[in-house]
Amino acid sequence: MRNDDEGVTLVTDGELLAQMQALRDKVTGITGTAVASRDGLIITEDTGEVDADNMAALAATSLALAQRIAREAGQGTLREAVTRSSGGYVALYAVGPTAVLVLIGDEGLDIARLHRESRAAVDKIEALLR
Amino acid sequence: MAVPDVSGSLREALTACAAGGLTGVLRVAGDPGGVVHLIDGGVAAIATPGAPSAEVILLRSGRVSEAGWDAAFTASAASGTSMCAELVASSAAGTGELEALLRIALADAMFVLATGLVEECEPRPSQVDCLLALEPAADFGPLLAEAARRVRVLGATVGERDRFVVVPAAKRSGPPLSSGQDEIVTLADGRRTARDIAFASGRGVYATMLQLARLREAGVLTAVRSGPASAARERAPGTAGPAASAGSAAGDRSDAPGGLPRREKGLPSLPRRTVDARVNVSRTTPHRLLRPRSGGDVGPLGAE
């Protein structure tokens, strides 16, 4: 891992991937994970059939929009941005100011456990990116 | 496969609910845990992350189209009638078909609940609040008995943490696959558990496990218990991703023409626009959103 004073960090992929896979193992229904930079480039992916590059770009944009909407509504800090579709979920979490965690889940995603586990995972990932 | 909790706290809780004629929910904490919806002490529906609900089975299997489902949902919300009644009224599903499917989903969910970890069961009276409820509700006894039978049939052939991957064709022989097995083999990518394959294909978990056990016995599939590290892609620097055809939004960092760049070890990071590295993103984001990110002359790392 390399610490960069300028901001976005380049990280040892193995550690980051291990955190992402640990989260997938803990939360039933997660089918894919990715960590992307806020400018929409993939850092590490475990997304299966989902195009990680496209997802990274969209996630960065979507998170920024969600934060803006939350601020406009005067509702404080965004905790997560969740998109629910007929076939599952995509949840986005801000990882510090420089990255975004993308979690893709199927219809059975354990949302309650996701909310419980994701905070700690975000902290660990943020520490790895620092 | 864990020893089923058919004689443990889940059975005790369901027995108490049935004796009291509870209408409401029984919250089952554990792994995967879930919620048992009860009507007059009987089991009307079970929601658990561990097994596809009747809704998932109906939609994923294609028995009901999304348009048909949405129409029935809207009509149900507007009229206050049940979702089942609306699906039947709109001819999206037949009465018998729907009841059979609800019973299949119930048995599957009870199998998953009973074979999982049950930490605590908490009954709570409430209105009936589930989309697809079996009416009249089912007795829990036969459901638990069926769960125990399924565990005996499966034995230890398929673990809930096993992720399945296809054995290369050159290394296997045997009869051709059935159409149902074909689909499972296609979905077995080393990342999915039996539960994941069940959700993706719109089948029950038990039925999926049975097929997986047969396919593994036939040498078509093999199981990996650890995390699927190999399934996660770490593309070589400069290797174009699937989105390469879309062109590069910020491209000259990518070695492959048209490929999207990646954050890579050893490469410089995003230059900061402010002196403070811990910049308040919520303050700067709106301004960036109003700006085109790249006009072709902007570097891949966001230099402006």
Side-chain angles (χ1 to χ4, degrees):
Chain A
M1 193 188 324
R2 191 169 72 83
N3 200 341
D4 193 320
D5 291 339
E6 289 176 329
V8 173
T9 309
L10 309 162
V11 68
T12 303
D13 290 328
E15 293 174 76
L16 193 52
L17 196 56
Q19 285 298 332
M20 292 154 63
Q21 290 181 339
L23 185 60
R24 185 150 74 92
D25 286 340
K26 277 183 193 167
V27 182
T28 305
I30 290 182
T31 58
T33 58
V35 174
S37 64
R38 288 292 186 94
D39 59 350
L41 300 182
I42 200 76
I43 296 173
T44 298
E45 72 196 81
D46 181 22
T47 55
E49 295 155 4
V50 176
D51 185 313
D53 291 319
N54 287 347
M55 186 57 82
L58 292 169
T61 308
S62 185
L63 183 72
L65 278 173
Q67 286 177 322
R68 181 76 175 89
I69 287 169
R71 195 156 67 98
E72 194 65 31
Q75 293 180 341
T77 306
L78 182 78
R79 290 185 175 163
E80 65 265 320
V82 179
T83 303
R84 181 182 172 225
S85 312
S86 61
Y89 299 81
V90 178
L92 307 175
Y93 293 85
V95 182
T98 58
V100 51
L101 171 65
V102 185
L103 300 175
I104 306 166
D106 58 28
E107 304 95 320
L109 178 64
D110 191 340
I111 291 286
R113 181 158 294 175
L114 178 75
H115 292 332
R116 280 203 306 273
E117 301 287 347
S118 56
R119 285 290 117 205
V122 164
D123 286 349
K124 287 175 185 169
I125 291 170
E126 186 178 3
L128 286 171
L129 292 173
R130 197 170 288 146
Chain B
M1 175 72 57
V3 177
D5 183 41
V6 292
S7 59
S9 54
L10 181 59
R11 176 181 286 277
E12 288 171 13
L14 286 168
T15 303
C17 291
L22 177 72
T23 294
V25 296
L26 177 69
R27 295 193 177 279
V28 182
D31 186 15
V35 175
V36 182
H37 294 271
L38 300 152
I39 298 176
D40 298 331
V43 181
I46 300 175
T48 169
S53 64
E55 175 184 348
V56 173
I57 295 173
L58 279 171
L59 289 173
R60 285 272 183 160
S61 65
R63 287 183 178 90
V64 174
S65 68
E66 286 210 21
W69 177 271
D70 288 343
F73 184 86
T74 305
S76 170
S79 64
T81 53
S82 75
M83 188 72 185
C84 287
E86 288 297 339
L87 284 170
V88 171
S90 63
S91 302
T95 309
E97 176 193 16
L98 203 52
E99 182 182 339
L101 197 136
L102 289 175
R103 289 187 182 280
I104 288 169
L106 264 191
D108 200 48
M110 186 63 89
F111 162 68
V112 167
L113 266 192
T115 54
L117 172 67
V118 178
E119 292 170 347
E120 190 185 7
C121 296
E122 181 197 358
R124 187 174 297 170
S126 68
Q127 299 279 320
V128 179
D129 184 23
C130 60
L131 213 49
L132 296 172
L134 178 68
E135 293 188 71
D139 291 340
F140 74 89
L143 288 172
L144 285 180
E146 175 61 12
R149 186 192 70 82
R150 291 180 175 194
V151 172
R152 285 196 300 274
V153 170
L154 277 171
T157 53
V158 179
E160 59 261 42
R161 301 277 179 207
D162 288 351
R163 300 181 190 274
F164 290 87
V165 67
V166 180
V167 173
K171 293 185 182 174
R172 67 173 195 246
S173 59
L177 303 176
S178 69
S179 60
Q181 289 176 330
D182 264 348
E183 188 180 7
I184 288 176
V185 168
T186 305
L187 291 167
D189 59 358
R191 301 170 46 80
R192 292 187 173 100
T193 63
R195 175 253 173 231
D196 297 339
I197 293 173
F199 268 86
S201 62
R203 299 162 191 270
V205 172
Y206 174 66
T208 304
M209 284 177 138
L210 271 184
Q211 289 286 14
L212 287 170
R214 287 175 190 143
L215 287 166
R216 183 154 75 173
E217 197 175 323
V220 178
L221 298 179
T222 187
V224 285
R225 297 220 172 197
S226 56
S230 60
R233 298 185 300 275
E234 291 299 334
R235 285 200 297 269
T239 304
S245 58
S248 172
D252 58 9
R253 200 54 180 264
S254 173
D255 296 340
L260 288 173
R262 293 169 65 89
R263 289 270 168 253
E264 289 159 9
K265 194 175 181 183
L267 291 181
S269 63
L270 177 69
R272 283 295 180 175
R273 292 174 181 76
T274 64
V275 174
D276 182 7
R278 288 161 295 283
V279 62
N280 182 345
V281 169
S282 62
R283 193 177 67 237
T284 58
T285 296
H287 303 295
R288 293 184 63 192
L289 282 175
L290 300 175
R291 233 182 263 174
R293 279 191 59 223
S294 171
D297 56 346
V298 178
L301 301 180
E304 290 180 287

